[in-house]
Amino acid sequence: MNETTDLLIIGAGPAGMAAALAAASSGAHIVLLDDNPLPGGQIWRDGPQANLPTEARRLREQLHACANVRCHTGTRVITCAADKTLLVEDAERGWQITYERLILCTGARELLLPFPGWTLPGVTGAGGLQALIKGGLPVCGERLVIAGSGPLLLASAATAKHQGAQVLRIAEQASRAAVAGFAAQLPRWPGKLFQSISLFDHHYRTGSYVLEALGRERLEGVRLLQQGKTIELACDRLACGFGLIANTQLGQALGCALAGQALAVDAWQATTRVGHYAAGECSGFGGSELALVEGAIAGHAAIGNTAAAQRLWPRRARWQGFARALNKAFALDARLKTLARADTLVCRCEDVPYGELAGQENWREAKLASRCGMGACQGRVCGAALEHLFGWTPPTPRPPFSPARIDTLLHLEQTPPT
């Protein structure tokens, strides 16, 4: 059976949950869709070894109490079936959802940059390691190095230590001056100050980044440039993430314009397409607090409650200030573009090395010459890396946006409900 709704929200992280709760008081029929088993998104991912914050549990309970909010978990968007109609799929079936208004809360994914050895077993993203541990990955007694940029490194380290891992080094590529300047501003956001103090680890080093992951069959160690000196550490796991990339694929497919690398929104969190809103990290990075208030503004605006939305503008401005400070402090060092060697794989799906790409002019030429971006991930990993390395414009999103069953695709032949 196909489905109709007044308001469809894609993504049940902090922004999506806040949007649904803000809109629920109107009595409108709301559908909240997410590909995770439970609401919470990546930051509040649940699992056997997850320790959910109180706020995440409270929001989840409030959602369950809303009779006019229906949650479809474990569900992915496959393609746009018609105007204001999406084809979606869960583990059991595929169907179409037709909506009047839509809020995109599609979040972000990690930026992974290639360096020698980054494809060895035992090397993951920093956020990827955190998700694996929450899902039950045993790391007790393992030696870990966590590297890259941003507060996620400290959060991942804390998750790993809580499960018994030995964190040998947290290598932050930002300079000591940049991190110190950011820390000096944290009293403006007391909650973030206390959080940073609780997460601090004496193995944290600024001005440090990965040069190479070492090993033959799997990771055995890591070579770092640490404040100008090259060091090597034997380790069992390396988690390396260089910040976030906004998930704009669905928004672009729906005709929403970009502002830089994120979805463009106005003061009401409205995109450039009428009736379509965006909130959270798909419209820019700033942490869960900013995502929550943006989601609430989008939820109020989508149901026409502009007064309630406008009352939240000062809170959003406050957390936008935090976002600006964060993004400035942890801007990536240009030297990270020089880590890959000629034989370093960039496109892991199609085994395309850096040397085959360095002489190309753009994505189209690279794909014609090497099949880069044409594998299972459809350029989600290598596309972001090459945009950072060479400034290439990523390819235009093409459906299907996720792998789909044949019987799901057959729903495209059906007339959507009216």
Side-chain angles (χ1 to χ4, degrees):
M1 288 290 293
N2 292 329
E3 187 174 7
T4 61
T5 187
D6 298 318
L7 176 61
L8 175 61
I9 302 172
I10 309 294
M17 297 169 82
L21 291 171
S25 60
S26 68
H29 181 244
I30 300 166
V31 170
L32 180 61
L33 182 152
D34 196 276
D35 61 355
N36 286 311
L38 291 168
Q42 297 301 319
I43 191 169
W44 292 335
R45 176 185 285 270
D46 211 338
Q49 296 178 168
N51 185 21
L52 287 182
T54 302
E55 185 172 25
R57 297 187 184 278
R58 177 178 59 82
L59 291 175
R60 189 181 289 178
E61 290 169 1
Q62 290 177 349
L63 273 178
H64 289 323
C66 294
N68 59 323
V69 178
R70 183 173 184 181
C71 294
H72 291 304
T73 55
T75 305
R76 300 175 296 180
V77 175
I78 303 303
T79 188
C80 308
D83 183 45
K84 292 189 174 182
T85 300
L86 299 180
L87 177 66
V88 303
E89 178 185 89
D90 64 13
E92 298 178 355
R93 66 188 180 107
W95 73 101
Q96 294 182 22
I97 302 179
T98 299
Y99 59 87
E100 288 296 320
R101 294 170 299 281
L102 179 140
I103 304 177
L104 293 159
C105 303
T106 48
R109 61 187 184 276
E110 282 191 278
L111 173 61
L112 305 176
L113 297 179
F115 53 87
W118 77 300
T119 58
L120 283 170
V123 182
T124 66
L129 176 65
Q130 190 178 39
L132 287 168
I133 292 173
K134 289 180 179 180
L137 177 73
V139 294
C140 185
E142 292 189 342
R143 301 164 299 169
L144 269 60
V145 172
I146 298 176
S149 192
L152 180 59
L153 305 186
L154 289 168
S156 296
T159 300
K161 287 189 294 183
H162 185 71
Q163 296 300 325
Q166 178 187 1
V167 176
L168 304 179
R169 183 72 76 247
I170 303 172
E172 166 58 59
Q173 60 84 39
S175 69
R176 180 179 301 171
V179 174
F182 175 69
Q185 298 181 67
L186 286 180
R188 295 166 56 191
W189 307 280
K192 290 295 185 183
L193 174 62
F194 295 139
Q195 184 182 50
S196 67
I197 292 172
S198 68
L199 291 176
F200 183 75
D201 188 291
H202 69 279
H203 294 107
Y204 185 82
R205 300 290 186 276
T206 56
S208 305
Y209 56 86
V210 170
L211 294 176
E212 184 175 2
L214 308 172
R216 297 196 177 204
E217 299 300 321
R218 64 161 290 113
L219 180 73
E220 298 173 10
V222 60
R223 182 175 294 131
L224 301 169
L225 185 66
Q226 180 175 293
Q227 298 169 351
K229 296 181 180 180
T230 301
I231 66 167
E232 290 187 8
L233 296 172
C235 61
D236 305 301
R237 290 191 184 274
L238 167 64
C240 198
F242 295 93
L244 300 172
I245 294 292
N247 280 328
T248 62
Q249 181 183 53
L250 181 56
Q252 288 180 267
L254 291 169
C256 304
L258 298 180
Q261 294 179 316
L263 294 174
V265 294
D266 64 12
W268 309 103
Q269 298 296 138
T271 71
T272 54
R273 182 175 175 185
V274 175
H276 291 65
Y277 300 79
E281 292 183 325
C282 64
S283 61
F285 312 121
S288 61
E289 294 85 359
L290 180 58
L292 284 166
V293 68
E294 286 181 346
I297 290 171
H300 287 307
I303 60 163
N305 191 350
T306 54
Q310 196 164 5
R311 285 195 294 270
L312 294 172
W313 286 3
R315 189 192 307 173
R316 179 179 60 188
R318 179 170 179 263
W319 287 111
Q320 284 174 335
F322 173 78
R324 286 190 295 271
L326 177 74
N327 294 327
K328 179 180 179 181
F330 295 100
L332 296 184
D333 192 310
R335 289 176 293 180
L336 298 175
K337 297 181 179 182
T338 66
L339 299 181
R341 300 171 186 157
D343 62 347
T344 302
L345 292 184
V346 175
C347 176
R348 302 171 66 158
C349 299
E350 295 293 329
D351 292 336
V352 182
Y354 180 85
E356 289 187 24
L357 300 169
Q360 307 299 331
E361 293 293 326
N362 52 48
W363 249 109
R364 178 176 174 79
E365 286 190 12
K367 290 177 75 172
L368 289 173
S370 67
R371 291 186 54 83
C372 183
M374 298 175 70
C377 88
Q378 289 292 287
R380 287 178 178 84
V381 177
C382 60
L386 290 170
E387 182 178 13
H388 181 78
L389 293 175
F390 300 136
W392 292 352
T393 301
T396 302
R398 298 174 62 185
F401 306 129
S402 299
R405 298 186 297 269
I406 296 298
D407 61 340
T408 294
L409 298 177
L410 291 175
H411 282 267
L412 291 173
E413 297 182 356
Q414 301 177 12
T415 303
T418 58

